[in-house]
């Protein structure tokens, strides 16, 4: 019975808006920290995977040029790590400021679309997909310019 009484007291304390918002901030912070640790693990595993892949390709494959796999595939691995680093930057920026930084999110999206274009196999893609990628790049670029302009203007005013 003591457990339910304590739980009831806790619930009553949480009924005030300030207490509840404080609880939500604690949960947000905890989730952000867990996501940061998970992203660090993903980045480290990706870097090890890239090193193993390059090692095997350089020393254990019969030589066909410098790399037996295409350089484009290797670029894809590097860009995956770069995107993961950008996501980690987004999470840590959230931890610092407790706000999503739209400019960082747009940059991360641009890097992801750039990765898609760099590794794109033009023989397997139709025109609609290319048009879609072009529209995505245009929309993200315009969004970035708008956010950059607004951020610059607000910094100049202060």
């Amino acid at each position: 019975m003591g457990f339910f009484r304590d739980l009831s007291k806790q619930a009553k304390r949480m009924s005030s808006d300030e207490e509840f918002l404080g609880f939500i901030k604690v949960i947000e912070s905890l989730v952000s920290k867990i996501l940061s640790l998970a992203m660090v693990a993903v980045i480290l595993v990706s870097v090890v995977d890239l090193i193993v892949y390059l090692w095997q390709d350089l020393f254990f494959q019969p030589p066909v040029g410098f790399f037996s796999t295409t350089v484009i595939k290797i670029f894809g691995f590097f860009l995956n790590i770069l995107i993961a680093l950008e996501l980690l930057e987004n999470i840590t920026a959230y931890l610092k400021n407790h706000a999503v930084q739209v400019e960082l999110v747009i940059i991360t999206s641009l890097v992801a679309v750039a990765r898609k274009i760099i590794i794109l196999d033009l023989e397997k893609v139709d025109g609609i997909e290319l048009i879609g990628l072009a529209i995505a790049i245009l929309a993200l670029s315009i969004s970035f310019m708008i956010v950059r302009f607004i951020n610059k203007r607000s910094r100049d005013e202060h």
Side-chain angles (χ1 to χ4, degrees), residues 52-70:
V52 168
Y53 184 82
L54 286 172
W55 183 264
Q56 288 176 343
D57 200 46
L58 285 172
F59 298 111
F60 297 107
Q61 298 292 327
V64 181
F66 188 64
F67 289 106
S68 64
T69 58
T70 63

Side-chain angles (χ1 to χ4, degrees), residues 134-154:
I135 292 170
I137 291 169
L138 182 64
L140 286 168
S141 299
I142 291 170
S143 300
F144 181 75
M145 287 175 26
I146 292 169
V147 169
R148 196 82 185 264
F149 175 75
I150 290 171
N151 286 343
K152 185 180 182 317
R153 200 168 77 187
S154 68

Side-chain angles (χ1 to χ4, degrees), residues 29 45 59 63 67 86 134 157:
S29 179
V45 168
F59 298 111
F67 289 106
E86 290 288 337
E157 290 175 358

